[in-house]
Amino acid sequence: MFLTIAPNSHPKTWVSTNSSNLHLFPLPSKFKTQPSIIIPKAYNNEDNNSTKSTAGKIKRMVLTQQGRTKLNILPDREFYAYPRFVTHVDDRFISNLTNLYRKCLKPEFEILDLMSSWVSHLPQEVKYKKVVGHGLNAQELARNPKLDYFFVKDLNEDEKLEFENCSFDAVLCTVSVQYLQQPEKVFAEVFRILRPGGVFILSFSNRLFYDKAISAWRDSTGYGRVQLVVQYFQCIKGFTEPEVIRKLPSNDDQENKSPLSKIMQLIGLLSSSSDPFYAVIAYRNFKPVHQ
């Protein structure tokens, strides 16, 4: 299923288009004065038959069939049917991620926030040219103040991203890669919609919905998961060599906790240590000089 937003629609209505799987969805009120934005038609592979370049092609499959399996086999759209207005990582992780975005993303960028939610962790002080959100819960996405518009789609049912080639300067994916059952195909789609020199920033920690994460992720370690994401990038022809950022909790974190934090930790209301921060970054074709 694929949803998008019509800023001029009535807040409590949605309108069908001629497409059987495309619906217009209302934006939050602050965007309703803007012109309607329509997501471009799906890219048609048949139009590209004359192109001989192999860039963006899948060189090899990383996961085995067993590695793609989940304990909870119900459709993801059912699992995410109800909104969760929580952050899935701690403040230190969020700070590290926001600082990374501040360093890598420029105000003139058009950005796709893949597998997003009610918050994107983008710097509050920066207004980007355009931010498009994707996720599985429309209520969460509608609450995200950074999004200009959004769409709802299950990438485990259909990994195709309904955008033209070279549509974005950056694609983000935060604490969600562990749920992708066809990551090779999704990464190939990200490559296709990135502009040359565009960046894909993928971040994660050690938290997850265990029964919804794929087996290859559940059964691995922090180091192993980093290597898995690196392989996702390397299996697509044309991505630059992935850059890895690791920021792990130190022993000082525990010593510096306040008495209240220690009490909350003892009764199970707070994690015993900070969330580890991992980010893997690669670019389409080349890394721009300004980076």
Side-chain angles (χ1 to χ4, degrees):
M1 186 171 183
F2 185 80
L3 301 178
T4 185
I5 297 173
N8 297 325
S9 300
H10 189 278
K12 296 183 180 180
T13 64
W14 53 279
V15 184
S16 296
T17 67
N18 292 331
S19 172
S20 61
N21 66 343
L22 179 64
H23 300 86
L24 299 179
F25 200 81
L27 262 174
S29 58
K30 70 171 185 172
F31 295 118
K32 288 174 189 158
T33 58
Q34 299 179 358
S36 295
I37 305 172
I38 304 298
I39 288 182
K41 294 180 181 179
Y43 170 71
N44 186 350
N45 284 328
E46 294 178 358
D47 294 337
N48 200 38
N49 286 339
S50 61
T51 302
K52 295 181 180 180
S53 173
T54 59
K57 301 297 183 183
I58 300 173
K59 297 187 289 186
R60 60 182 176 84
M61 303 305 285
V62 175
L63 299 178
T64 64
Q65 193 58 41
Q66 174 61 30
R68 304 176 195 276
T69 60
K70 297 184 177 186
L71 297 176
N72 183 341
I73 61 174
L74 294 176
D76 289 345
R77 62 180 179 275
E78 295 183 15
F79 183 81
Y80 294 100
Y82 298 97
R84 296 176 175 88
F85 296 112
V86 298
T87 54
H88 298 287
V89 283
D90 64 15
D91 290 343
R92 179 172 295 187
F93 181 103
I94 294 171
S95 177
N96 284 326
L97 182 60
T98 301
N99 286 334
L100 179 62
Y101 288 162
R102 190 176 284 114
K103 175 183 176 182
C104 295
L105 307 177
K106 297 188 173 299
E108 62 268 23
F109 276 14
E110 295 183 274
I111 299 169
L112 172 61
D113 189 5
L114 205 60
M115 305 176 79
S116 185
S117 181
W118 67 288
V119 60
S120 291
H121 308 305
L122 291 163
Q124 292 295 326
E125 74 277 9
V126 182
K127 172 61 178 175
Y128 297 98
K129 181 177 180 181
K130 180 173 69 177
V131 182
V132 179
H134 156 264
L136 277 173
N137 188 281
Q139 290 176 269
E140 291 180 5
L141 294 167
R143 283 272 298 272
N144 190 325
K146 280 293 187 179
L147 302 183
D148 295 304
Y149 63 104
F150 66 82
F151 65 101
V152 173
K153 185 175 184 176
D154 185 350
L155 294 178
N156 286 329
E157 290 186 352
D158 178 12
E159 69 280 352
K160 197 73 176 177
L161 296 172
E162 310 287 327
F163 297 99
E164 299 287 353
N165 292 354
C166 306
S167 293
F168 294 97
D169 301 291
V171 175
L172 318 175
C173 183
T174 305
V175 296
S176 296
V177 67
Q178 60 266 31
Y179 308 119
L180 289 175
Q181 291 180 284
Q182 299 292 334
E184 304 94 338
K185 295 179 180 179
V186 173
F187 275 56
E189 277 293 280
V190 169
F191 183 93
R192 180 182 65 77
I193 66 173
L194 277 174
R195 295 177 177 126
V199 63
F200 186 12
I201 303 175
L202 198 147
S203 59
F204 58 93
S205 188
N206 58 359
R207 299 199 195 187
L208 68 160
F209 294 119
Y210 190 81
D211 58 340
K212 275 299 183 182
I214 62 171
S215 174
W217 195 274
R218 294 195 315 269
D219 299 339
S220 192
T221 62
Y223 175 83
R225 290 164 180 167
V226 168
Q227 295 309 306
L228 192 62
V229 174
V230 167
Q231 289 183 68
Y232 291 164
F233 278 109
Q234 291 176 335
C235 82
I236 306 301
K237 186 174 179 61
F239 271 124
T240 61
E241 187 62 24
E243 303 170 24
V244 176
I245 299 173
R246 294 183 180 90
K247 295 189 177 181
L248 306 180
S250 66
N251 293 331
D252 294 337
D253 293 341
Q254 182 66 23
E255 297 175 3
N256 293 333
K257 284 185 180 293
S258 67
L260 177 60
S261 296
K262 292 180 178 179
I263 293 173
M264 294 176 67
Q265 175 187 319
L266 286 173
I267 62 178
L269 296 179
L270 192 67
S271 173
S272 60
S273 63
S274 299
D275 293 336
F277 175 81
Y278 303 100
V280 185
I281 307 167
Y283 299 80
R284 173 172 170 162
N285 302 131
F286 62 90
K287 182 178 179 178
V289 175
H290 64 73
Q291 298 289 349

